[in-house]
Structures are given as structure tokens and as C-alpha cells.
Amino acid sequence: MTAETDTYPKTSSSRLSVAPMMDWTDRHCRRLHRLLSRRALLYTEMVTATAVARGDASRLLRHDAMEHPLALQLGGSNPGELAEAVRIAAPMGFCEINLNVGCPSDRVQSGAFGACLMREPALVADCVAAMIEASGGVEITVKCRIGVDEQDPRTTLPAFVDAVAAAGVRRFTVHARKAWLKGLSPKENRDIPPLDHPLVAQLKRARPDLTIVANGGLGDLAAVEDRLADGLDGAMVGRAAYHDPVAILGDADARIFGQFTAPVSPEAAARGMLDHIEATVSEGAPMTVVTRHMLGLFAGRPGARRWRRMLTEDARAPGAGPELVLAALRAVSPEARAA
């Protein structure tokens, strides 16, 4: 982290957030997203409590002040280990520490956490109680599904939320799909189980004292606005924010947060990444660890294919650096060519 923390918000708003996504929402991705929106809440990739408590926490939790407001997502089911991870992470500036009770992957299930914890609300309550006690005031939140496998979400979701809220959690992000832990892959679990956003809205109406954020199948800002209009406290966008970040985040501060700011262009976002690319390359990392997150900047615009090719194939060349991004901008953007 840098000494710039005070210039970026430390508090978060639930109105719009970008979901934690494994192998995607790393610190390079979050920097790009923050250039597009100063207000959207960003999340780290999920980090296991075991890794934080027993591993290289400074490397795992590395982030820059400009990424704030930033939330950390932890995975785990051992209250003591989760508490230790929270004690380590709490002084690092995260505005929120979130417990993952929604991931359906085999690897997460084998560790007895993620979506399978929907079956164990009492254990989740113990986990969050330990996390809250260790947090030093940092908010502890939960991201969950509406249910798993044979559960009936109409009864399972309210009972789960009530048990965890009784332990002190006030904010829940609810992926409005069941997770089928038997028979569906993680990818299929993002698409095949039907969405039930009305159930999530009903949860909010029945528990107005809780902050309820909707997640699942939200592909544009209009869908975010629909969730807000339906009474939800916020909306979390996943893959759409990654694949077309300008469409989701470029105008979000004005449309979702009411800020009187002009939309951020893909050209401006790309130029904003130049210093970071140079610093990353100077550390010995390949340029592609940054540019792979920038491929969607021109999604749906003329030249998008050429932009993606230059930032993948050409970026692998020895010595490639920020000048390649400028060349790619000149190749695809009339605005850049005129500059």
C-alpha cells in the first residue's frame, strides 16, 4: 500500500459493487476499475483464511491506496482461523471483510466452505461472531446463495439470514440462484439455475433493517437501476464488469451515485494504466499480467479485435511496455490518433 490512502474513500456504498472473481479481480484489474469509477465498491479475489493466517499475508493482501473503497473476501469455516485472518487484515485498510458462503467450486467444497455452508447457518454464525470480535470495527459481511441442492430457498434463505444476522452481520450480498453442488460445474452454476431476484427483494422488504445487495445475471447499468428501484440497497455485477468495464463502470458514478461527472472513456482509462504497466514491468513481471484485464476496454467499439490482439500477442514480445498501449490506442481510437 502507498501513503496515498487518505485521498481515496475508506467508506463504502452498497449501491454498486464488482464481484470478487478468482483469477480476475486482482490488484491490476482493480486499478483499472477504479480509474473508471471512484465510487463503486471493489472486492479482492477470495483468499482463504488459512493462507492469510499461515502464509505470506503481506503478499496475499497487497493492494494500493487508489483501489479504495476495497473489500476483502475470505473463504473458510473455522472460526478461530477466520478470526486470526481478520486480525491480520483489519489494519490494512479494507472497508469490509466478507465471508464467502456462495462459491460452488469443488476445491472450495473440499475445504468445507463456500456454498456448502448454506447448510450450516449455526456454523456461519459462529464464524462471523468470531470475525466481528477480531475486526476492530471493520465491517464483517456475508455473500451467499439463495440455497443449495434440494433446499427450498423460500424457507432456507430467510432462516439462514436470520441466524447470521443474530450474530451481528448487517449486510448480505445474495446471488439470486441456487448452487447445485452435485451435478453442475462452477461455470454451469453461474448460468443454469434460474434467477429469483423477486425472492431477494422480498427478503429486503421483510427485513428492512438489513442491507441487502442483489447479485446474479446483472449485465448492464439498467439492470442495476432495476434492482435499486425494486428496493434493494445495491447491486453487485460480476462478469459483465470485467468483459465490458466501460459500459458498467464508466458512467456509474453519474448514473448510480448521482455524481456530476462525465463518463470515463476507454482511452482515458488506458492512459491511466501506463505508469502502472511501467512499474509492473520494471519489477520483472510480464506486461500481460496487466493488459489481460484491459482487453474489454473497447468492447463493442470499432477496432476492438485489433486492440485485443495487440494487447495479447504483441504484449508477449520481449521488452514490451507502455508504448505498446499507446500504439494500440493509435490503431483503434480516432481520439488517440488526433492527440
Side-chain angles (χ1 to χ4, degrees):
M1 294 181 290
T2 73
E4 302 173 2
T5 305
D6 290 339
T7 66
Y8 291 90
K10 295 179 183 178
T11 57
S12 65
S13 168
S14 302
R15 288 182 66 81
L16 176 65
S17 54
V18 178
M21 292 177 280
M22 293 297 294
D23 299 321
W24 286 6
T25 52
D26 63 17
R27 62 189 183 91
H28 310 296
C29 173
R30 298 191 304 261
R31 175 175 286 265
L32 174 65
H33 286 179
R34 182 57 68 218
L35 290 170
L36 291 164
S37 170
R38 289 183 63 88
R39 296 295 304 278
L41 174 60
L42 305 182
Y43 281 77
T44 68
E45 303 170 88
M46 185 192 71
V47 184
T48 67
T50 301
V52 174
R54 303 181 188 177
D56 185 354
S58 61
R59 177 184 62 82
L60 291 168
L61 305 182
R62 180 183 179 186
H63 65 278
D64 192 90
M66 70 90 65
E67 297 170 36
H68 292 278
L70 177 65
L72 167 67
Q73 187 180 67
L74 290 176
S77 59
N78 181 301
E81 202 163 58
L82 282 162
E84 178 60 22
V86 168
R87 274 191 287 271
I88 292 168
M92 295 187 175
F94 298 104
C95 64
E96 170 191 330
I97 300 177
N98 179 268
L99 179 63
N100 182 325
V101 191
C103 180
S105 77
D106 292 340
R107 182 166 62 90
V108 168
Q109 289 183 61
S110 68
F113 60 94
C116 63
L117 287 175
M118 291 295 299
R119 296 196 186 103
E120 301 187 67
L123 174 57
V124 175
D126 289 343
C127 288
V128 298
M131 294 169 72
I132 290 169
E133 185 176 357
S135 69
V138 178
E139 185 177 13
I140 303 300
T141 67
V142 166
K143 185 175 187 293
C144 64
R145 292 275 181 146
I146 60 174
V148 296
D149 295 338
E150 72 290 340
Q151 290 180 333
D152 180 355
R154 292 170 297 178
T155 56
T156 297
L157 178 62
F160 174 86
V161 167
D162 287 346
V164 178
V169 170
R170 311 312 296 165
R171 186 191 304 195
F172 294 82
T173 298
V174 184
H175 188 140
R177 285 188 176 95
K178 266 190 177 186
W180 286 96
L181 304 179
K182 303 170 185 175
L184 292 183
S185 69
K187 181 179 185 301
E188 290 169 330
N189 263 302
R190 293 194 297 265
D191 299 307
I192 292 176
L195 286 162
D196 193 349
H197 279 295
L199 178 64
V200 182
Q202 179 181 328
L203 176 72
K204 173 60 186 179
R205 288 192 295 271
R207 291 154 181 80
D209 57 317
L210 298 179
T211 298
I212 306 295
V213 177
N215 174 228
L218 305 179
D220 52 36
L221 283 185
V224 171
E225 291 167 332
D226 287 345
R227 295 299 90 220
L228 296 172
D230 207 18
L232 276 299
D233 296 294
M236 174 181 280
V237 181
R239 288 164 290 162
Y242 189 87
H243 292 306
D244 194 353
V246 174
I248 299 295
L249 298 172
D251 200 19
D253 289 0
R255 286 180 59 177
I256 305 302
F257 295 99
Q259 302 292 299
F260 295 102
T261 57
V264 179
S265 70
E267 292 85 359
R271 290 181 183 277
M273 294 295 287
L274 295 176
D275 288 347
H276 181 66
I277 291 170
E278 185 171 11
T280 301
V281 171
S282 71
E283 292 175 352
M287 177 181 173
T288 51
V289 303
V290 180
T291 55
R292 72 186 183 95
H293 302 298
M294 300 169 61
L295 301 182
L297 275 178
F298 287 88
R301 295 170 173 82
R305 182 176 298 178
R306 189 171 188 184
W307 170 262
R308 292 193 299 270
R309 181 184 61 76
M310 292 184 73
L311 264 62
T312 50
E313 297 175 10
D314 297 356
R316 296 190 186 101
E323 69 285 344
L324 175 61
V325 173
L326 292 173
L329 280 174
R330 289 192 294 270
V332 304
S333 169
E335 174 185 313
R337 288 195 294 270

